[in-house]
């Protein structure tokens, strides 16, 4: 698992790390039951605070993406298909909201945006 963080990003470091781990799980790069690096090892590898990586792991566990076993470490949670599907939908929904806000700010109507999407779909089908 390769994580790239940027000090010039608007996103906090913990969120950059968390989103990249979550994306790796959603893409299947990290499989159910696969061990994650320890909090300390990940902090050392990324040159960030242990508190930062601890927060990442706590949030990923709260969201159901990983499980932590005392004395054994953290692992990718067993497949929860509905959770994964909902997370993917939320990611797409966020991007669609962002696209709509940009279009609206540029004076592009709903109909124009729909037409753009239709063209994208047609090109993808070819």
């Amino acid at each position: 698992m390769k994580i790239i963080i940027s000090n010039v990003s608007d996103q906090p470091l913990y969120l950059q790390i968390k989103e990249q781990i979550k994306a790796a799980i959603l893409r299947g790069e990290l499989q159910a039951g696969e061990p994650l690096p320890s909090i300390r090892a990940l902090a050392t590898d990324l040159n960030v605070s242990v508190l930062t990586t601890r927060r990442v792991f706590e949030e990923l566990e709260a969201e159901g993406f990983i499980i932590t076993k005392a004395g054994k470490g953290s692992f990718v949670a067993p497949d929860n298909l509905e959770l994964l599907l909902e997370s993917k939908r939320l990611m797409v929904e966020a991007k669609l909201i962002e696209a709509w806000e940009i279009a609206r700010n540029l004076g592009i109507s709903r109909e124009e945006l729909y037409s753009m999407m239709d063209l994208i779909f047609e090109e993808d089908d070819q």
Side-chain angles (χ1 to χ4, degrees), residues 38-86:
S38 71
I39 290 172
R40 188 171 306 284
L42 185 60
T44 301
D45 287 348
L46 298 176
N47 200 26
V48 298
S49 163
V50 171
L51 296 175
T52 298
T53 53
R54 177 174 286 128
R55 181 174 181 184
V56 169
F57 279 51
E58 287 172 355
E59 289 191 13
L60 286 170
E61 187 163 23
E63 293 175 20
F65 284 93
I66 68 171
I67 56 172
T68 301
K69 298 178 183 175
K72 295 189 178 186
S74 297
F75 302 84
V76 176
D79 287 338
N80 181 340
L81 187 58
E82 192 54 41
L83 172 69
L84 293 176
L85 289 174
E86 184 60 23

Side-chain angles (χ1 to χ4, degrees), residues 2-117:
K2 182 168 178 115
I3 297 175
I4 300 169
I5 56 174
S6 170
N7 291 325
V8 295
S9 173
D10 290 339
Q11 259 189 339
L13 292 176
Y14 87 91
L15 194 54
Q16 292 178 51
I17 299 165
K18 176 182 149 189
E19 292 303 318
Q20 289 180 56
I21 293 173
K22 192 188 303 188
I25 294 169
L26 291 171
R27 285 192 306 266
E29 292 173 15
L30 294 172
Q31 300 291 318
E34 189 172 334
L36 296 172
S38 71
I39 290 172
R40 188 171 306 284
L42 185 60
T44 301
D45 287 348
L46 298 176
N47 200 26
V48 298
S49 163
V50 171
L51 296 175
T52 298
T53 53
R54 177 174 286 128
R55 181 174 181 184
V56 169
F57 279 51
E58 287 172 355
E59 289 191 13
L60 286 170
E61 187 163 23
E63 293 175 20
F65 284 93
I66 68 171
I67 56 172
T68 301
K69 298 178 183 175
K72 295 189 178 186
S74 297
F75 302 84
V76 176
D79 287 338
N80 181 340
L81 187 58
E82 192 54 41
L83 172 69
L84 293 176
L85 289 174
E86 184 60 23
S87 185
K88 288 178 181 181
R89 286 185 198 111
L90 287 172
M91 288 170 46
V92 171
E93 185 178 310
K95 293 296 182 185
L96 288 172
I97 289 169
E98 182 181 337
W100 171 236
E101 288 172 355
I102 292 169
R104 191 176 52 219
N105 288 335
L106 296 174
I108 296 172
S109 70
R110 245 181 235 196
E111 292 74 24
E112 288 177 282
L113 189 58
Y114 290 151
S115 294
M116 289 175 170
M117 290 299 297

